[in-house]
Amino acid sequence: MCGIVGYVGGQNAAPLLVEALGRLEHRGYDSAGVAVVGSQLKVTKRAGRVRDLAEVLPKRTSGRVGIGHTRWATHGPATDVNAHPHTDASGTVAVVHNGIIDNAAALRARLTDQGVELVSDTDTEVFAHLVALSGADTLEGKVVDALDAVEGTYGLAVVHAGFPDRVVVARNGSPLLVGVGEKEMFIASDLAALVRHTTTVAHLADGELATVTAAGFTTFRRDLTRTQTTAREVDVDPSAYEHGQIDGRPRMYTEMLEQPASVERALRGRLDERFATAHLGGLEMDARELRAVRRVKILGCGSAYYVGQMGASLVEELARVPADAEAASEFRYRDPVIEPDTLYVAVSQSGETIDTLLAVEEIKRKGGRVIGLVNVVGSAIARACDGGIYLHAGPEIAVASTKALTTMYVGFALLALQLGRVRDLSVADGRRLVAGLQALPAQIEQVLDGEERIAEAAKSLAAAESLFFVGRVRGYPVAREGAQKFKEISYRHAEAYQMSELKHGPLALISPDVPTVAIVPDDELTDRNVAALHEIAARGGPLVVVTHPGVDLGELRAERIEVPRNERELDPLLLTVPLQLLAYHAALSLGHDVDKPRNLAKSVTVE
Ligand code: AGP
């Protein structure tokens, strides 16, 4: 969603800002803009893509201090006027803002009463006027005065023509990073916009502000007392953040292909063959504390929630601890009961999803213990948790999550194994699962090798306006994730259903025009699943069956996609991979931009 960039240094700011905004494009946005402080403050903004902004940016825009923004419309449509930066009436102050000002309506009314003319529909514009109206004699003081009036979440950056050497930034709930260069400083809401210039980075904490000049940065609180936030070297490979296609292929494709390597990374150093267990040092929990866990509650959004359901099954099967997953976006609104002996697990690729972050904060406020399964190191959710497991998937650029998702699954498997082995899981079962996990990278490779056949099946599915994805028990969250991926990028209506529930209603929809993708692993439920497939076939419903070698489908006419066998408990991971390829090839055959699906953002940072 919205992205912030900033620059203070010796170079002309405008081209640097535009380039940095381009590196945030994958997050999803509908307009973009920059404000540059030179001999005066100049703002250029435009609805549309960053390249549209670049086209209208006057060639003579010069100045060594500036801020930029990609906007995802919340208050008001995507128009030039609603794009950020927003300014006060005199054009002295410019502001870019991520998040939502909750009391914007009241502030707009107050400003209007004071004779201020508001030109946009946005919540952010009020902030520019509040800064301009402040009587403080420093930019820091003006920003603090404005912040005292607003309620809500924000990452924001402010420039002022009267203070041309600096950018003042503030954070409350939306990430803000300061990157340290050689006599120049960078600001961004996402590491992706910084890494080309620097990997020495400071993460602002909630409630913190910073003054950024070419010489460095200082951090402080709203009462203007100094804080000690420092910059650290982040261990990332800048080339992994490059955007655009690789070898002419969409990023979703290269990210799917990377899964054997990313799963390998997620496992590295965490398996203990001798004691047939996993070691997750980041949990910050010893064996006694792990044994005291009476329940596991997993929270995430979208695909992270579905993989959380797979994780809950793993925890119940391996550790025999009751576990369930819930959409963080629901959990946080229902005044949840927080139990002291429940282990809460927040799962997120970006570490920024606002609903998941607020769920974590709700748990902590009520005294619960929460660990994170997070990909982005140092992200808001990772920092808010008591401990956790980094996924090591590497940067995920495509909106449709693939490699992060499979590393989430591995994270849950490791957690379940460690929890199981401090309880009743036998050494023999532990060994079986360690070996199963070790086999996964090569087996994912095998599934990916079957791409051609999957692509054929995808083309026939893409022709249908509506389809079902069905599975039972372990297979149901796999079906949910498969349907999610399919609808996200193909824009077809794809509905996930429990195989067992079909005859309680949805069977009425089955017809030759409504295909079903069925998840049928070789397990204790195969016979029941095959019986349900016969019911679908009897009503003329076309079938694509994702299954294991040797599963007997009898006389069924079905397109068959096979994945290798592993341990039954670990089946969901390998069953998920062909569904990614199905969605990908369906979307490609329909001519869609798979990396930037319509209406979707990579990180959902607004409620
Ligand atoms: C995945 O394909 C989706 N784009 C989406 O559901 C995503 O998983 C969800 O928004 C959660 O994101 P997170 O993992 O960054 O928290």
Side-chain angles (χ1 to χ4, degrees):
M1 288 192 153
C2 302
I4 288 176
V5 298
Y7 176 77
V8 189
Q11 305 186 57
N12 194 14
L16 285 167
L17 294 171
V18 171
E19 187 269 341
L21 289 177
R23 289 174 186 277
L24 298 183
E25 283 199 296
H26 67 289
R27 296 172 59 91
Y29 71 107
D30 45 47
S31 52
V34 293
V36 174
V37 190
S39 51
Q40 49 185 309
L41 179 68
K42 286 224 171 76
V43 174
T44 311
K45 52 191 194 170
R46 189 81 168 184
R49 316 300 294 176
V50 172
R51 62 172 177 272
D52 301 321
L53 171 71
E55 268 171 29
V56 293
L57 190 70
K59 293 279 169 294
R60 290 189 310 279
T61 307
S62 68
R64 298 170 199 282
V65 174
I67 54 178
H69 193 260
T70 46
R71 173 176 187 252
W72 170 278
T74 55
H75 292 64
T79 60
D80 293 354
V81 173
N82 285 338
H84 297 212
H86 287 283
T87 60
D88 67 312
S90 67
T92 308
V93 178
V95 179
V96 292
H97 166 224
N98 290 353
I100 290 185
I101 297 176
D102 293 334
N103 59 339
L107 291 172
R108 286 177 76 91
R110 197 175 94 194
L111 287 165
T112 309
D113 287 349
Q114 290 174 323
V116 173
E117 195 193 334
L118 291 147
V119 296
S120 77
D121 307 313
T122 67
D123 53 341
T124 304
E125 186 190 349
V126 297
F127 199 81
H129 294 291
L130 291 170
V131 172
L133 288 171
S134 161
D137 51 12
T138 61
L139 181 54
E140 291 74 8
K142 289 175 188 293
V143 171
V144 165
D145 281 353
L147 287 179
D148 283 345
V150 306
E151 290 160 20
T153 55
Y154 49 79
L156 52 84
V158 184
V159 288
H160 191 299
F163 303 91
D165 67 333
R166 65 194 52 206
V167 179
V168 172
V169 296
R171 170 191 167 141
N172 184 38
S174 293
L176 257 187
L177 319 177
V178 179
V180 179
E182 195 59 42
K183 295 194 184 128
E184 57 184 357
M185 304 288 291
F186 303 87
I187 294 156
S189 54
D190 187 318
L191 197 57
L194 296 180
V195 287
R196 185 168 166 255
H197 303 285
T198 180
T199 49
T200 309
V201 173
H203 289 80
L204 289 200
D206 274 340
E208 220 173 19
L209 294 90
T211 301
V212 185
T213 66
F217 71 100
T218 51
T219 56
F220 53 96
R221 295 191 195 89
R222 287 246 296 262
D223 61 6
L224 297 176
T225 56
R226 290 281 296 270
T227 55
Q228 301 307 320
T229 297
T230 51
R232 300 219 181 108
E233 198 55 29
V234 289
D235 181 18
V236 295
D237 169 12
S239 69
Y241 289 83
E242 290 302 321
H243 275 208
Q245 301 199 334
I246 296 180
D247 298 334
R249 295 288 205 165
R251 288 305 283 256
M252 183 184 171
Y253 187 75
T254 57
E255 287 167 4
M256 285 189 293
L257 258 50
E258 214 188 307
Q259 292 179 106
S262 53
V263 163
E264 222 269 319
R265 277 198 300 275
L267 287 169
R268 197 173 297 158
R270 287 168 163 173
L271 287 175
D272 177 339
E273 290 185 32
R274 187 159 166 238
F275 291 102
T277 188
H279 289 301
L280 296 165
L283 293 184
E284 313 272 359
M285 290 172 80
D286 60 24
R288 193 185 48 80
E289 289 172 301
L290 287 173
R291 266 199 304 275
V293 171
R294 290 280 159 270
R295 181 178 292 279
V296 173
K297 176 97 192 167
I298 298 164
L299 299 158
C301 292
S303 291
Y305 160 45
Y306 302 140
V307 78
Q309 285 197 309
M310 300 179 204
S313 291
L314 278 163
V315 169
E316 288 205 344
E317 287 188 83
L318 304 190
R320 305 307 297 154
V321 175
D324 75 322
E326 183 175 342
S329 46
E330 289 283 309
F331 174 85
R332 53 167 291 228
Y333 283 113
R334 63 170 180 80
D335 195 12
V337 176
I338 301 301
E339 297 159 316
D341 47 9
T342 293
L343 178 64
Y344 294 88
V345 185
V347 55
S348 173
Q349 187 287 127
S350 62
E352 277 185 46
T353 302
I354 193 77
D355 285 320
T356 310
L357 177 61
L358 293 176
V360 170
E361 287 174 358
E362 175 76 357
I363 295 162
K364 296 207 67 182
R365 197 175 60 74
K366 292 178 172 172
R369 183 201 281 264
V370 54
I371 60 163
L373 256 72
V374 177
N375 193 34
V376 177
V377 176
S379 56
I381 293 172
R383 285 147 58 92
C385 289
D386 297 303
I389 306 168
Y390 277 123
L391 304 173
H392 301 301
E396 191 177 66
I397 305 293
V399 167
S401 186
T402 54
K403 64 173 181 166
L405 198 109
T406 40
T407 57
M408 284 172 187
Y409 185 87
V410 168
F412 281 119
L414 293 167
L415 176 65
L417 178 58
Q418 189 169 347
L419 261 181
R421 288 289 292 129
V422 296
R423 305 164 86 93
D424 297 328
L425 189 75
S426 68
V427 179
D429 279 334
R431 288 220 176 97
R432 192 171 59 74
L433 288 152
V434 167
L437 285 165
Q438 286 167 331
L440 285 174
Q443 292 185 314
I444 296 173
E445 198 79 65
Q446 268 177 270
V447 179
L448 295 169
D449 285 345
E451 182 186 348
E452 223 171 284
R453 188 186 179 110
I454 298 171
E456 281 309 310
K459 276 183 215 142
S460 64
L461 292 178
E465 287 297 329
S466 190
L467 57 158
F468 278 108
F469 282 71
V470 296
R472 196 187 296 255
V473 188
R474 283 184 212 114
Y476 176 53
V478 175
R480 293 189 89 182
E481 168 53 17
Q484 160 94 341
K485 209 97 299 164
F486 205 90
K487 68 184 111 181
E488 235 180 329
I489 56 175
S490 77
Y491 315 148
R492 294 303 197 208
H493 171 241
E495 184 170 352
Y497 233 86
Q498 293 99 331
M499 192 97 82
S500 51
E501 284 285 306
L502 277 181
K503 56 167 111 41
H504 297 289
L507 212 50
L509 293 175
I510 298 293
S511 78
D513 299 329
V514 181
T516 298
V517 179
I519 313 303
V520 185
D522 184 6
D523 63 10
E524 60 284 7
L525 299 168
T526 311
D527 290 349
R528 289 190 176 280
N529 284 332
V530 173
L533 299 189
H534 279 284
E535 289 174 8
I536 295 168
R539 279 139 191 101
L543 280 165
V544 173
V545 183
V546 183
T547 187
H548 286 128
V551 167
D552 183 5
L553 299 181
E555 300 300 301
L556 272 181
R557 277 193 56 212
E559 191 66 52
R560 187 175 174 122
I561 297 170
E562 290 186 353
V563 304
R565 287 164 195 275
N566 193 302
E567 298 304 327
R568 284 184 176 180
E569 298 91 328
L570 301 176
D571 278 344
L573 185 140
L574 293 170
L575 294 165
T576 296
V577 177
L579 303 186
Q580 302 171 343
L581 284 165
L582 263 188
Y584 171 81
H585 281 287
L588 269 197
S589 73
L590 291 164
H592 300 319
D593 178 347
V594 289
D595 282 348
K596 296 194 194 86
R598 70 183 184 202
N599 304 342
L600 294 179
K602 182 67 181 159
S603 305
V604 183
T605 51
V606 295
E607 296 174 55

